[in-house]
Structure formats: structure tokens, C-alpha cells
Amino acid sequence: RCWHESFQDFSISGRYRYGDEFWALTPQVRYILPTHDYPYRGEAVVGPNLQQLLMGINAAWRLATVLPQASIQAGYTYTVVEKAVEDIRANRSNFATSFGYALSRSLYVHGGALYQKNHGGLTAFGVAVAPPDQAAQADRLLKMRYWHLTGGVSYSTRFADLFFAVEPYIWGRDTHDGIAYTVGSTWYFDFSRPKP
């Protein structure tokens, strides 16, 4: 009884890549607007139903002199979240890092870690003693902090990239334990794209 299916959010983003074939630095900004007043309470809702502004930067380096087929990436994002109640704003920081290796022109593997820290919000104990207006917002006000590992593989063809990823929980406070599996594809409509 906790699953809700629905349209989630509109988002618009902009980013610009600086760099060359050996390094890249990419600042980005993204705005998220809920499509409608969807349910936000429960274990598996479609989202928090709050406006959000994400500002971040990603960096990547090819380890050309040591491991020509390898690269490392890192990124940081700070998110300003709309207030769900007057006194609490659950802004958050996210940090991600990964190491990737191209086994061939078509096959790429990667592994890394993700960290999230909510700078405001309620702890699980705080929810138990919170005023009713705050307790009703508990699912989007939790002061989550966690580490996840990441790993995955992607395969490129001329028209699409296929990927599989796994993200197990390692440590956390005021969050959920578990493991996430993701399977997906990216399709390209530029048929002049060279074969991998």
C-alpha cells in the first residue's frame, strides 16, 4: 500500500564543459518543479513534491600516462529545497566519485561511492516528538546522511548505450537500508554517430 505511480517533476538544466581530451570540468545548474500535487507520504512515493534548485560541479580526468583506458570522476552538488514547513528547510549536499575502465571500445565498467548529507530536517527521534505539522511532513523532512557504493557496466552500440548499475547501502542515519538495481538504455537519433 505504499507504492504510488504518477508523473513526477518537470526539470530544466544547463551545464557547460571546460577541458580537453584528458580532463573536464563541468559546472551545472538544474531546477525541479513538481508537475502537480502528487502524494509525498510513504515508503515508495514518486518524489517529495517540492521545488528544488541544484547547483554543482563535476570533474573528470583520464589517467592517460598510467592507465590509458582508465578515468576518475568526482562531483559535488548543493540543493536548495523549498520549505515544507516554516521553520525547517531540508537543503542537502551530495558528493559522488567513481573510477572507470574501458575494457574495449564498447564495454565500460565503473565503481565508486555516493554520500548525501541533509543540512536541515528532523532526526528519527525528532519526528517522534515533533509538532503535528512537522510530523506530517516526516517523509520529506528527514535529516538523512548516508554512504552508498556504486558499480556498473555499460555497453555501446551504434544507436544506443545499454547499462546496468547496482547501489548498495553501506552506512547511514535517518535513512533506509537497502540496495538499488538500475537497468536502462540511452538511444541516439544521430545515425551518423560512428560505430564504437
Side-chain angles (χ1 to χ4, degrees):
R1 291 181 167 235
C2 61
W3 176 258
H4 301 282
E5 57 184 51
S6 177
F7 288 103
Q8 184 185 26
D9 300 321
F10 288 117
S11 72
I12 185 168
S13 62
R15 59 184 171 220
Y16 187 83
R17 179 188 179 273
Y18 300 95
D20 57 27
E21 61 181 303
F22 299 105
W23 67 275
L25 196 62
T26 309
Q28 58 185 332
V29 63
R30 181 178 177 203
Y31 175 69
I32 298 174
L33 177 69
T35 55
H36 63 289
D37 190 22
Y38 56 74
Y40 59 84
R41 297 179 71 179
E43 297 292 320
V45 293
V46 296
N49 194 3
L50 294 171
Q51 296 180 63
Q52 302 176 61
L53 178 65
L54 294 79
M55 298 163 288
I57 192 161
N58 292 306
W61 300 268
R62 274 188 56 215
L63 305 177
T65 57
V66 182
L67 292 170
Q69 303 300 88
S71 61
I72 56 174
Q73 299 180 48
Y76 172 78
T77 302
Y78 185 81
T79 303
V80 178
V81 181
E82 176 187 4
K83 286 184 179 180
V85 295
E86 185 59 35
D87 299 330
I88 300 173
R89 185 186 294 271
N91 295 347
R92 67 181 180 272
S93 287
N94 291 85
F95 176 75
T97 184
S98 74
F99 173 82
Y101 194 85
L103 298 173
S104 71
R105 288 181 61 88
S106 299
L107 191 61
Y108 181 79
V109 295
H110 65 89
L114 299 173
Y115 175 72
Q116 177 171 308
K117 177 180 180 178
N118 284 32
H119 300 288
L122 300 172
T123 63
F125 175 76
V127 170
V129 297
D133 65 323
Q134 294 181 4
Q137 304 289 329
D139 292 311
R140 53 188 185 176
L141 285 182
L142 278 179
K143 190 175 183 176
M144 292 186 285
R145 292 146 291 164
Y146 62 74
W147 279 101
H148 290 183
L149 290 181
T150 63
V153 60
S154 63
Y155 182 78
S156 295
T157 69
R158 182 176 177 187
F159 304 113
D161 293 339
L162 310 173
F163 60 87
F164 169 77
V166 61
E167 186 179 318
Y169 166 95
I170 300 300
W171 172 90
R173 294 285 184 267
D174 303 306
T175 188
H176 294 286
D177 187 355
I179 187 167
Y181 300 95
T182 305
V183 177
S185 65
T186 302
W187 291 86
Y188 299 97
F189 298 100
D190 180 5
F191 298 113
S192 64
R193 184 173 183 243
K195 288 186 177 181

